[in-house]
Amino acid sequence: MSDAPLHTLYDEVGGMATFETLVRRFYDGVQQDPVLWPMYPADDLDGAIWRLSRFLGQYFGGPATYSSMRGHPRLRMRHVEFHVNPDARDRWLAHMSAALDTMGFSPMVRSSMDAYFDRAAHAMVNTFEPTPEQ
Ligand code: HEM
């Protein structure tokens, strides 16, 4: 065993400030999206930014702030109220990918994040019905 401190992806990318930047850029894209944006709380964008950035920071090895404030993530359950069909999933992934493109992450970090987001977004699909008319 070495005495080296445990090294997490969270530390490697620069901690919570980096996750907040990523999530803000993600939401910049989501706000332009006619299918996704109507699902989000327009009057609580700062809250949504807080929730997703804390969740991701925690997932990638940072402090468990998300769980201490929001409880167990239970993400699939928390998404049941939203109409997450394959189109919504692909749009979500495209906005996340565009945000990731701006971050200058190393190829190792980028591929870890891509793999996680792809898996998580596929797991969040809860309907194959087309997007309802707004
Ligand atoms: C697949 C397409 C997805 C759609 C359409 C979607 C949609 C939403 C919406 C509308 C919210 C409510 C915003 C808020 O008030 O915080 C939300 C919350 C959230 N989403 Fe997603 N989401 C998707 C995928 C994902 C994925 C892949 C992750 C994780 C990597 C994720 C993590 C979260 C988290 C952590 C919250 C906050 C939960 C809470 O504490 O209430 N979502 N999502």
Side-chain angles (χ1 to χ4, degrees):
M1 289 286 283
S2 93
D3 292 322
L6 284 177
H7 182 76
T8 66
L9 187 147
Y10 175 86
D11 293 322
E12 182 172 344
V13 300
M16 191 50 70
T18 304
F19 284 93
E20 260 207 53
T21 301
L22 171 67
V23 168
R24 281 184 189 282
R25 292 177 185 175
F26 166 74
Y27 274 119
D28 285 345
V30 168
Q31 282 182 278
Q32 306 305 316
D33 192 302
V35 169
L36 294 185
W37 184 236
M39 297 187 209
Y40 283 87
D43 58 350
D44 188 26
L45 182 57
D46 286 344
I49 291 167
W50 189 96
R51 289 184 282 277
L52 185 56
S53 58
R54 267 42 183 199
F55 171 81
L56 294 176
Q58 174 176 320
Y59 179 84
F60 286 107
T65 319
Y66 176 86
S67 286
S68 67
M69 300 297 286
R70 302 286 294 165
H72 189 286
R74 294 182 212 283
L75 280 192
R76 212 182 128 74
M77 191 196 79
R78 289 189 202 261
H79 285 76
V80 164
E81 65 180 297
F82 309 121
H83 195 93
V84 186
N85 61 15
D87 179 43
R89 172 199 66 204
D90 292 345
R91 288 167 179 269
W92 193 104
L93 283 170
H95 295 301
M96 186 53 79
S97 182
L100 285 164
D101 285 346
T102 70
M103 298 298 294
F105 290 146
S106 71
M108 283 292 281
V109 164
R110 178 64 190 263
S111 70
S112 300
M113 290 198 175
D114 281 343
Y116 170 63
F117 287 131
D118 195 58
R119 184 157 42 86
H122 277 75
M124 231 57 86
V125 172
N126 54 27
T127 179
F128 290 91
E129 296 296 323
T131 304
E133 292 296 325
Q134 302 296 330

